[in-house]
Amino acid sequence: MKIDRILANVWDYFLMTVGSVIFVMAWTSFLIPNGLASGGLTGLCTILQYGTGIPVGWTYPTLNVLLLLLGFIVLGKGFGFKTIYVIALTSVLFEVLPKFPELQVLMDEKLLVVLVGATMESVGIGLVMLRGGSTGGLDIIAMIINKFWPVSIGRVYLCMDIFIISTLLLVPEKGLVDMIYAYVVMLGFSFGVDFVLLGNKSTVQILVFSDNYKEIGDYVISDLRRGVTALESIGWYTQKESKVLMIVARKNQMHEIVSAIRSIDKRAFISVSSAMSVYGEGFEDVKSGLKVKTKKDK
């Protein structure tokens, strides 16, 4: 079991490394050489490069470190070693890859650059997030805002991206056309990463049908740190009483949970369905902006 977990971790880091390379090459090989930008922290760093000449390889790690420190202070918890690994790796790649001009692809047709760049970026980020990693950046700001105000994270992303891309108008030799291309890249990336992740930032409800339900439940709770609810069930064909395990988790944790279940019982029947919203400990808080008085407050 330990060897399987080690190999699984190696596979996770391998895919996150591949995803990071694809993500960075989308910028250094296609978008930046052709003068294009987009939203997010990378888009902000790219716009700063166009306006000030400061390379993305300098501003990207600097801003990420500052945002991580802000996250530690305000949110009061770490973001996991995988996120730190991805941030460190992409920071190095943004510094190293631009030194190889042969990797830069110049195209006259900017719409084609937009399609290729957005596709590569979404695939790269998708691979990273599917394995539990993150590129940090504006994710941290969105989480901080969402912690104190009843605003959805998606809306925060949208507002920040609109603001960042609009700053292109302040850069000399950039205009409305460049801003429109940047919005197209942003939209292409949004649809692409949703396609790769299948809504990875939302939650899933996993139902597990297995004779080894006790072993699976114990493993999910003790090793994967996820809650498990056992539901009484009867197989109508066999009339055999058993238990169905219900697990609610983030979609980026689905791979790890399903892999763990299959390692215990390869014949386990697993049903996965999307959950629109999950409120409670470990998930989202209901934010209404109103404070309801309880008996203890009176």
Side-chain angles (χ1 to χ4, degrees):
M1 186 67 70
K2 289 184 178 180
I3 295 177
D4 291 340
R5 294 196 66 184
I6 291 173
L7 292 176
N9 281 327
V10 170
W11 180 245
D12 285 347
Y13 280 95
F14 171 74
L15 288 181
M16 286 193 298
T17 301
V18 172
S20 298
V21 172
I22 295 174
F23 164 68
V24 175
M25 286 190 67
W27 287 92
T28 58
S29 296
F30 291 92
L31 297 177
I32 295 177
N34 290 280
L36 296 177
S38 185
L41 181 66
T42 313
L44 175 61
C45 295
T46 302
I47 294 172
L48 287 174
Q49 176 174 314
Y50 294 153
T52 65
I54 302 175
V56 174
W58 294 4
T59 55
Y60 182 83
T62 302
L63 292 178
N64 253 320
V65 169
L66 293 175
L67 288 172
L68 279 173
L69 291 174
L70 180 63
F72 287 135
I73 293 171
V74 177
L75 299 176
K77 60 180 180 180
F79 297 95
F81 185 76
K82 286 184 176 180
T83 294
I84 296 174
Y85 169 77
V86 173
I87 291 175
L89 177 60
T90 51
S91 298
V92 172
L93 291 173
F94 270 119
E95 178 66 23
V96 173
L97 291 184
K99 295 181 180 180
F100 296 90
E102 58 271 19
L103 295 178
Q104 299 178 6
V105 181
L106 299 176
M107 297 182 180
D108 295 329
E109 185 54 62
K110 285 194 174 183
L111 185 57
L112 182 59
V113 179
V114 167
L115 295 175
V116 175
T119 300
M120 289 182 65
E121 187 184 11
S122 59
V123 169
I125 293 294
L127 284 175
V128 169
M129 296 186 71
L130 277 174
R131 296 298 161 172
S134 169
T135 55
L138 300 183
D139 292 0
I140 300 171
I141 296 179
M143 285 188 289
I144 291 173
I145 293 175
N146 182 255
K147 179 179 179 180
F148 297 104
W149 288 281
V151 182
S152 69
I153 291 180
R155 185 169 297 179
V156 175
Y157 283 138
L158 179 62
C159 292
M160 288 191 295
D161 283 345
I162 290 175
F163 174 77
I164 289 171
I165 293 175
S166 64
T167 60
L168 265 173
L169 296 176
L170 303 176
V171 178
E173 300 181 358
K174 297 293 181 183
L176 184 61
V177 174
D178 299 285
M179 187 176 72
I180 292 173
Y181 276 124
Y183 281 126
V184 175
V185 175
M186 181 193 76
L187 292 174
F189 167 75
S190 298
F191 285 111
V193 79
D194 282 345
F195 178 79
V196 174
L197 299 177
L198 297 176
N200 195 64
K201 278 190 172 294
S202 60
T203 53
V204 291
Q205 178 178 279
I206 304 172
L207 298 179
V208 183
F209 302 80
S210 170
D211 292 334
N212 300 322
Y213 60 82
K214 187 177 187 305
E215 186 180 353
I216 293 173
D218 290 341
Y219 185 81
V220 171
I221 288 178
S222 60
D223 289 66
L224 303 183
R225 303 294 182 183
R226 299 306 315 175
V228 180
T229 300
L231 307 175
E232 297 289 345
S233 67
I234 299 177
W236 202 248
Y237 179 76
T238 62
Q239 292 296 305
K240 180 181 177 181
E241 293 186 0
S242 183
K243 294 186 185 297
V244 175
L245 301 181
M246 183 176 71
I247 306 166
V248 179
R250 297 293 186 186
K251 278 196 173 178
N252 58 4
Q253 300 170 314
M254 182 179 69
H255 168 78
E256 183 180 16
I257 294 173
V258 172
S259 297
I261 295 170
R262 296 305 296 265
S263 67
I264 296 173
D265 182 5
K266 292 185 178 180
R267 299 187 63 184
F269 185 83
I270 305 170
S271 172
V272 180
S273 58
S274 297
M276 294 297 294
S277 299
V278 177
Y279 300 102
E281 184 176 353
F283 293 93
E284 305 295 333
D285 294 326
V286 178
K287 300 180 181 70
S288 63
L290 300 175
K291 181 176 177 60
V292 178
K293 289 184 177 181
T294 62
K295 292 182 179 180
K296 293 182 179 180
D297 299 326
K298 295 180 180 179

